[in-house]
Amino acid sequence: MRKTFLALLLAASVTPALAQEKTFELKLSHWVPASHPLQKALEDWGAAVEKESGGTIHYKVYPAQQLGKAFDHYDMARDGIADVTYINPGYQPGRFPIIGAGELPFLMSSAKGGSEGLDAWYRKYAGTEMKDVKFCLAFIHAPSSFHSRTKKIVVPDDIKDMKIRPADATIANFVTLLGGTNVQSSAPEARDIIERGVADALTFPWGSLVLFGIDKVTKYHMDAPLYVTTFAFVMNKDKYNEMSDRQKKAIDDNCNTEAAGRVGEPWGKFEDAGIDKVKAEEGHEVYKLTADQTALWKKAAEPLVKTWADAVRKTGTDPDAALTDLRASLAKYNALAQ
């Protein structure tokens, strides 16, 4: 009897931490269709967290703006409307200036390495720039460019007097700099504004161009690594702080640079595959730039670096050092554009 009693006491002393853990069901929210590769990326992320938490953290993914508009996803995580959200920092110009470095033209060459390089670099700034949430990871889509309904865009002067839907704040500044007019919309509304003639062209990655049906309302497509868009997963701080140490570790082990690459790589492959799909469609012209034309675009983009630097300097960050560090990080992950 004594041995049995001691064995029961020992068993009780080993398991109280597990017994005291709360069970969570995380609401993971994004704003693209469920058929988009981001859906699987979030499902895979949630499944990894669930496994590493010993099954105490469950998840459900809410796609297609079910919980809120694309522009609101950062605040949705801050306010607890969702627990983990997918955000485009460039949807809110001026709010997240530092991470905007990733949007500078002709900077990154690939989605996987670009995601890893951006994430590794941004971690030293995220705690200040995104202080309202728990930063999880940053990533990019594959490099892309302009898609037009009305005419070929070959040199910077072609943008003058055009109405363009930009992918992010930096491209919006670029359009203005070149004499165009910006038409703001989130990705889910992009086809509609082209179809109605509200915009003449847009910047969009290739696979998503087909997924959103924008290939049905555009004709001319520049095949050049003009830009990428930066994204992030962010989490509600209160929900994270409620968790046990083991549960926090399950989150942290999936909120790192390696996880950023896992998100960026399959999405990048999906976007890159879209080029051949568009080429195969009738009535489309996909064209590359000559070396001279590329040089014109790079020269025209130079003022964007100063605009970014001026905004970053106001945060107390040295923009020259930050950009040098970003380039070094991208080079480390073999994603610095030449």
Side-chain angles (χ1 to χ4, degrees):
M1 288 288 292
R2 177 178 171 79
K3 287 183 178 179
T4 303
F5 180 67
L6 288 173
L8 288 171
L9 279 178
L10 181 61
S13 69
V14 171
T15 58
L18 296 181
Q20 291 169 10
E21 281 185 323
K22 288 177 60 176
T23 297
F24 294 90
E25 178 164 310
L26 300 182
K27 293 180 287 186
L28 279 51
S29 180
H30 68 83
W31 33 267
V32 293
S35 53
H36 192 282
L38 186 73
Q39 174 78 16
K40 187 174 187 305
L42 275 169
E43 289 172 352
D44 289 348
W45 186 91
V49 169
E50 183 170 307
K51 180 180 179 181
E52 292 172 34
S53 71
T56 61
I57 300 176
H58 306 292
Y59 70 94
K60 183 176 180 181
V61 180
Y62 294 83
Q65 305 188 101
Q66 289 182 26
L67 299 184
K69 292 292 187 181
F71 293 128
D72 297 330
H73 269 59
Y74 179 87
D75 292 336
M76 286 163 55
R78 180 196 65 191
D79 299 338
I81 295 169
D83 300 307
V84 178
T85 65
Y86 156 64
I87 68 165
N88 176 346
Y91 275 174
Q92 296 181 302
R95 189 173 185 181
F96 308 106
I98 298 174
I99 199 173
E103 301 170 355
L104 293 172
F106 299 102
L107 183 63
M108 301 190 204
S109 61
S110 70
K112 182 178 188 292
S115 295
E116 292 168 332
L118 177 73
D119 180 272
W121 166 80
Y122 187 60
R123 290 191 168 271
K124 70 183 286 188
Y125 305 109
T128 301
E129 186 158 85
M130 297 188 182
K131 62 182 181 297
D132 309 301
V133 295
K134 173 181 169 53
F135 171 78
C136 178
L137 55 84
F139 62 103
I140 64 164
H141 64 50
S144 190
S145 192
F146 288 104
H147 309 275
S148 173
R149 177 179 63 89
T150 55
K151 69 175 184 179
K152 283 178 70 172
I153 299 171
V154 180
V155 295
D157 284 347
D158 291 334
I159 297 296
K160 185 175 173 58
D161 297 328
M162 290 189 74
K163 298 172 292 184
I164 295 179
R165 179 265 178 192
D168 53 48
T170 302
I171 294 298
N173 288 340
F174 203 15
V175 169
T176 301
L177 186 68
L178 298 176
T181 300
N182 287 294
V183 180
Q184 296 293 336
S185 88
S186 65
E189 288 85 41
R191 172 177 173 161
D192 181 59
I193 63 167
I194 295 288
E195 193 165 25
R196 291 189 291 114
V198 176
D200 305 312
L202 79 174
T203 51
F204 223 77
W206 292 90
S208 293
L209 189 84
V210 177
L211 179 64
F212 284 87
I214 301 168
D215 57 321
K216 307 303 182 191
V217 295
T218 51
K219 180 177 180 180
Y220 305 102
H221 310 273
M222 182 195 291
D223 183 5
L226 176 71
Y227 83 100
V228 302
T229 298
T230 63
F231 303 107
F233 288 172
V234 296
M235 183 175 182
N236 178 263
K237 272 187 171 181
D238 291 338
K239 185 59 61 74
Y240 177 79
N241 290 333
E242 288 177 30
M243 294 180 174
S244 69
D245 289 345
R246 185 176 76 135
Q247 290 170 326
K248 287 178 180 176
K249 185 176 187 302
I251 297 290
D252 293 343
D253 286 350
N254 289 281
C255 287
N256 54 31
T257 297
E258 189 268 336
R262 291 202 312 265
V263 173
E265 182 177 26
W267 187 353
K269 289 180 178 178
F270 164 81
E271 300 295 4
D272 288 339
I275 298 176
D276 288 337
K277 291 179 181 178
V278 174
K279 285 180 178 178
E281 296 178 1
E282 286 189 26
H284 288 264
E285 185 174 351
V286 178
Y287 54 94
K288 290 186 177 292
L289 300 178
T290 66
D292 288 344
Q293 290 164 348
T294 300
L296 288 174
W297 284 103
K298 288 182 176 181
K299 181 70 175 176
E302 287 176 0
L304 298 177
V305 178
K306 182 181 185 304
T307 299
W308 170 81
D310 289 344
V312 168
R313 199 171 284 111
K314 292 176 183 176
T315 71
T317 300
D318 180 347
D320 296 329
L323 189 55
T324 297
D325 288 348
L326 176 56
R327 290 182 182 277
S329 186
L330 292 171
K332 176 182 176 181
Y333 290 97
N334 299 311
L336 183 64
Q338 299 303 313

